[in-house]
C-alpha cells in the first residue's frame, strides 16, 4: 500500500475531513506542526499508521533528538519533513495548510517526489506573486512592496488611494489595514506589524521563511461591482476559482461565490457553486488559468481569488498553491461529488486521475453548500452592541431556515459552546471568529438568503455573556 506523509498546520480544510479521505487512498503518517484539534486527536490515531505532534520527540536528520515545536527554526523545517518522509518510506508528501506549502514543496523536491515545485513561493509571497503577474501583463491592482515604514509612506504618496496594506505571507485577511490618506500610514504600519506578531503567537504564521512577518505589500483598492455579474443583490464582488495543477497543467474545478466582506476585507461566507452565467464563468476561468500558468506550478491544488468590476473588468487578488480553506473542499464534494483530497493523493502517488475538463457549472450541481464564519458583526458590518456566548444549539433551534436547508457546526474550527464570542478586530480578520458553520440547501440562492438570516439573527438568539465571563 502506498504511504503518504501528511503535514498538518493551522488553516486549510478540517483535518478530520482530510485524514479520512487520505486514509481511504493510502497509509497515512501524520506530521503535525501545530496541536491537533481536540475533536480530531483520537480519530487521527485510529486512521494513521503514525502520528508525530509538537509534543513528540523524533530522530533528527543528524541522529540527535529534536522536537517538532512551535519555535523551531524555519530552516530546520524542510529537513524535518524530509527525514520523517524517509523514515516512513513516503511515496508522497502533502499539506493543505497555507503556512506549510513552501516547506512541503521544497521537501518534495529534495525527495524527488511530486509537488508544487520551486514556484511554490510565488503562490505564497504576495510581492513575488504580483511581480510575476506584472511581467505577464495580467490585470491586478497597482502595488508596491513594503519593507519599512518609510517605504509605506513613499507608496502612499505615489499610489492613488485608498490603499490596502497586507502582510506578504499572511492568510485569512489578517493584518489588513485600509489607508485612506497618507497621514494614516504610520498607524497602519504599526497595527499590521502588531497583528502579525499576535498571529504568530496563535500559530497563524508562515512556518518556513524566517522573519516573514516583516514583509508587506500595499496596493490600490479597486472598485468592484455585483450588478454586472449577478442577477440579484447580496453577493460579494469577488469569486474564487477552485482548481488543481496536474503535471504542470491547470484544471479548473468550479467557482465559489461570496457574501460581501466585512471591513477591511474579512471573508464572511463561501458558497458553492457561484451563481454565474456561463459566459461570465468562462471569462473568469480564463483569467484564473492565465494567473496559475504564469506562476509555473507543477502538482498541487489551487485557489484563485478574482475581483469583479464594471463592464466585465476583473483584477487578480491572489492565487494559492493549495485548495481553498475552511469548508471549500467538503462543499465541492457534497455538491459535485468530487473527493479532491483523494484525487490529489492519487495524483501525487502517480495513479491516473480524471480531473474535470472544464469548470463545473451550477447546472451540474446537486444542490448547494456554503460555509459561514461567525463574527461579532451584523449584516452591515457593525459590531454587536454587547458580548455574546457561542451556543450552537440555540442557533439551530431558534433561527428558521428555508425548507430543506440543514445547518451544522464544524467543531474543530469553532469555539466550544459556552465560550464568549470574541470582539471583531478588523485588523485581525478571521483570528477573531467564533465558529464555522456549514449549510446544505437546494440552491446557491437559498444558501445566500439563509446566511443573511443567520447573520441578522445571531445577536438576538445567542445568550448574553455575564460580566464575569468576559475576559478582562
Amino acid at each position: 500500500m502506498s504511504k503518504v506523509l501528511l503535514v498538518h498546520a493551522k488553516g486549510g480544510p478540517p483535518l478530520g475531513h482530510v485524514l479520512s479521505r487520505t486514509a481511504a487512498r493510502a497509509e497515512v503518517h501524520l506530521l503535525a506542526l501545530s496541536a491537533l484539534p481536540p475533536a480530531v486527536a483520537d480519530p487521527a490515531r485510529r486512521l494513521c499508521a503514525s502520528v508525530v505532534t509538537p509534543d513528540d520527540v523524533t530522530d533528527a536528520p543528524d541522529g540527535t533528538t529534536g522536537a517538532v515545536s512551535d519555535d523551531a527554526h524555519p530552516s530546520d523545517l524542510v529537513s524535518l519533513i524530509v527525514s520523517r518522509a524517509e523514515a516512513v518510506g513516503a511515496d508522497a508528501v502533502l499539506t493543505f495548510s497555507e503556512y506549510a506549502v513552501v516547506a512541503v514543496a521544497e521537501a518534495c523536491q529534495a525527495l524527488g517526489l511530486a509537488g508544487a515545485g520551486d514556484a511554490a513561493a510565488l503562490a505564497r509571497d504576495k510581492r513575488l506573486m504580483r511581480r510575476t503577474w506584472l511581467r505577464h501583463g495580467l490585470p491586478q491592482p497597482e502595488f508596491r512592496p513594503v519593507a519599512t515604514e518609510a517605504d509605506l509612506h513613499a507608496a502612499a504618496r505615489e499610489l492613488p488611494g485608498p490603499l490596502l496594506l497586507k502582510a506578504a505571507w499572511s492568510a485569512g485577511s489578517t493584518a489588513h489595514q485600509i489607508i485612506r490618506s497618507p497621514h494614516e500610514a504610520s498607524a497602519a504600519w504599526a497595527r499590521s506589524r502588531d497583528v502579525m506578531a499576535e498571529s504568530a503567537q496563535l500559530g497563524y504564521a508562515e512556518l518556513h521563511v524566517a522573519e516573514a512577518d516583516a514583509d508587506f505589500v500595499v496596493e490600490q483598492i479597486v472598485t468592484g461591482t455585483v450588478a454586472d455579474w449577478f442577477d440579484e443583490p447580496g453577493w460579494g464582488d469577488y469569486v474564487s476559482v477552485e482548481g488543481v495543477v496536474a503535471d504542470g497543467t491547470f484544471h479548473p474545478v468550479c467557482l465559489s461565490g461570496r457574501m460581501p466582506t466585512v471591513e477591511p476585507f474579512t471573508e464572511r461566507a463561501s458558497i458553492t457553486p457561484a451563481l454565474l452565467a456561463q459566459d461570465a464563468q468562462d471569462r473568469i476561468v480564463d483569467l484564473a488559468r492565465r494567473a496559475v500558468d504564469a506562476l509555473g506550478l507543477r502538482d498541487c491544488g489551487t485557489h484563485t481569488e478574482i475581483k469583479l468590476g464594471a463592464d466585465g473588468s476583473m483584477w487578480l487578488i491572489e492565487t494559492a498553491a493549495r485548495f481553498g480553506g475552511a469548508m471549500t473542499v467538503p462543499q465541492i464534494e457534497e455538491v459535485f461529488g468530487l473527493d479532491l483530497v483523494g484525487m490529489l493523493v492519487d495524483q501525487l502517488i502517480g495513479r491516473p486521475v480524471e480531473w474535470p475538463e472544464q469548470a463545473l457549472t451550477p447546472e451540474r450541481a446537486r444542490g448547494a453548500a456554503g460555509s459561514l464564519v461567525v463574527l461579532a458583526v451584523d449584516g452591515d458590518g457593525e459590531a454587536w452592541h454587547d458580548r455574546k456566548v457561542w451556543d450552537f444549539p440555540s442557533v439551530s433551534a431558534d433561527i428558521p431556515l428555508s425548507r430543506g436547508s440543514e445547518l451544522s457546526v464544524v467543531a474543530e474550527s469553532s469555539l466550544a459552546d459556552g465560550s464568549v464570542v470574541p470582539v471583531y478586530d478588523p485588523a485581525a480578520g478571521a483570528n477573531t471568529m467564533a465558529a464555522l458553520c456549514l449549510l446544505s440547501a437546494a440552491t446557491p440562492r437559498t444558501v445566500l438568503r439563509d446566511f443573511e438570516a443567520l447573520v441578522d439573527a445571531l445577536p438576538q438568539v445567542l445568550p448574553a455573556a455575564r460580566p464575569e465571563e468576559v475576559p478582562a
Side-chain angles (χ1 to χ4, degrees), residues 65-80:
T65 59
V68 184
S69 64
D70 292 336
D71 58 356
H73 194 278
S75 64
D76 299 331
L77 184 54
V78 173
S79 295
L80 173 65

Side-chain angles (χ1 to χ4, degrees), residues 30-270:
L30 180 62
L31 173 59
L33 305 178
S34 58
L36 298 179
V40 182
D42 287 341
R45 297 192 184 278
R46 290 197 303 270
L47 290 169
C48 299
S50 68
V51 178
V52 173
T53 71
D55 295 327
D56 296 324
V57 177
T58 61
D59 290 331
D62 59 2
T64 63
T65 59
V68 184
S69 64
D70 292 336
D71 58 356
H73 194 278
S75 64
D76 299 331
L77 184 54
V78 173
S79 295
L80 173 65
I81 296 170
V82 168
S83 65
R84 187 62 189 155
E86 291 176 335
V88 302
D91 301 293
V93 180
L94 75 162
T95 187
F96 295 88
S97 168
E98 180 84 347
Y99 307 114
V101 161
V102 176
V104 167
E106 292 188 12
C108 287
Q109 287 188 288
L111 292 161
L113 300 177
D118 57 10
L122 302 184
R124 182 74 182 97
D125 183 341
K126 296 175 177 62
R127 302 166 303 171
L128 299 178
M129 188 185 306
R130 295 223 172 277
R131 286 169 177 158
T132 301
W133 287 339
L134 182 64
R135 289 197 301 271
H136 285 79
L138 298 175
Q140 61 179 333
E142 194 172 351
F143 72 98
R144 297 288 188 278
V146 174
T148 65
E149 184 177 345
D151 289 344
L152 180 57
H153 279 283
R157 291 191 298 268
E158 297 171 6
L159 295 176
L163 306 175
L164 181 63
L165 178 64
K166 296 179 176 180
W169 298 85
S170 68
S173 303
T174 55
H176 282 20
Q177 289 283 287
I178 294 177
I179 301 172
R180 294 180 174 84
S181 64
H183 77 268
E184 296 178 348
S186 291
W189 177 252
R191 183 62 183 134
S192 285
R193 289 175 61 85
D194 286 346
V195 169
M196 287 302 292
E198 294 164 5
S199 294
Q201 292 297 315
L202 295 170
Y204 295 103
E206 171 61 32
L207 294 169
H208 178 48
V209 178
E211 300 180 357
D213 59 349
D215 300 328
F216 290 82
V217 63
V218 65
E219 60 189 42
Q220 181 185 11
I221 296 176
V222 293
T223 302
T225 185
V226 173
D228 289 359
W229 297 88
F230 293 93
D231 292 335
E232 58 186 354
W235 294 94
D237 61 4
Y238 71 113
V239 296
S240 58
V241 180
E242 321 304 343
V244 68
V245 178
D247 299 318
T249 298
F250 173 65
H251 299 271
V253 173
C254 68
L255 274 67
S256 299
R258 296 294 196 279
M259 291 179 75
T261 57
V262 179
E263 189 172 336
F265 288 101
T266 302
E267 297 187 17
R268 195 196 285 273
S270 167

Side-chain angles (χ1 to χ4, degrees), residues 177-399:
Q177 289 283 287
I178 294 177
I179 301 172
R180 294 180 174 84
S181 64
H183 77 268
E184 296 178 348
S186 291
W189 177 252
R191 183 62 183 134
S192 285
R193 289 175 61 85
D194 286 346
V195 169
M196 287 302 292
E198 294 164 5
S199 294
Q201 292 297 315
L202 295 170
Y204 295 103
E206 171 61 32
L207 294 169
H208 178 48
V209 178
E211 300 180 357
D213 59 349
D215 300 328
F216 290 82
V217 63
V218 65
E219 60 189 42
Q220 181 185 11
I221 296 176
V222 293
T223 302
T225 185
V226 173
D228 289 359
W229 297 88
F230 293 93
D231 292 335
E232 58 186 354
W235 294 94
D237 61 4
Y238 71 113
V239 296
S240 58
V241 180
E242 321 304 343
V244 68
V245 178
D247 299 318
T249 298
F250 173 65
H251 299 271
V253 173
C254 68
L255 274 67
S256 299
R258 296 294 196 279
M259 291 179 75
T261 57
V262 179
E263 189 172 336
F265 288 101
T266 302
E267 297 187 17
R268 195 196 285 273
S270 167
I271 300 171
T272 307
L275 200 56
L276 290 162
Q278 184 66 59
D279 64 330
Q281 175 161 310
D282 290 344
R283 285 185 283 126
I284 292 168
V285 169
D286 177 69
L287 178 56
R289 185 187 305 279
R290 288 185 285 147
V292 173
D293 287 349
L295 298 176
L297 301 169
R298 288 297 307 163
D299 290 282
C300 61
T302 62
H303 173 77
T304 303
E305 296 180 354
I306 295 174
K307 184 87 163 182
L308 307 176
D311 301 321
S313 58
M314 295 178 282
W315 300 271
L316 291 166
I317 301 175
E318 61 187 44
T319 286
R322 43 86 183 161
F323 293 130
M327 294 299 286
T328 302
V329 169
Q331 288 166 210
I332 291 171
E333 182 171 330
E334 177 177 339
V335 171
F336 291 112
L338 293 180
D339 172 12
L340 293 184
V341 172
M343 294 168 74
L344 181 60
V345 170
D346 284 344
Q347 176 70 36
L348 296 178
I349 290 174
R351 298 170 183 153
V353 182
E354 292 186 12
W355 296 104
E357 295 182 5
Q358 309 177 45
L360 302 174
T361 63
E363 291 73 23
R364 296 278 302 276
R366 301 178 301 191
S371 48
L372 177 73
V373 175
V374 176
L375 302 167
V377 291
D378 63 21
D380 296 323
E382 298 296 325
W384 293 350
H385 297 302
D386 51 9
R387 301 297 298 275
K388 299 291 182 178
V389 171
W390 174 245
D391 184 62
F392 183 71
S394 295
V395 174
S396 60
D398 298 338
I399 302 179

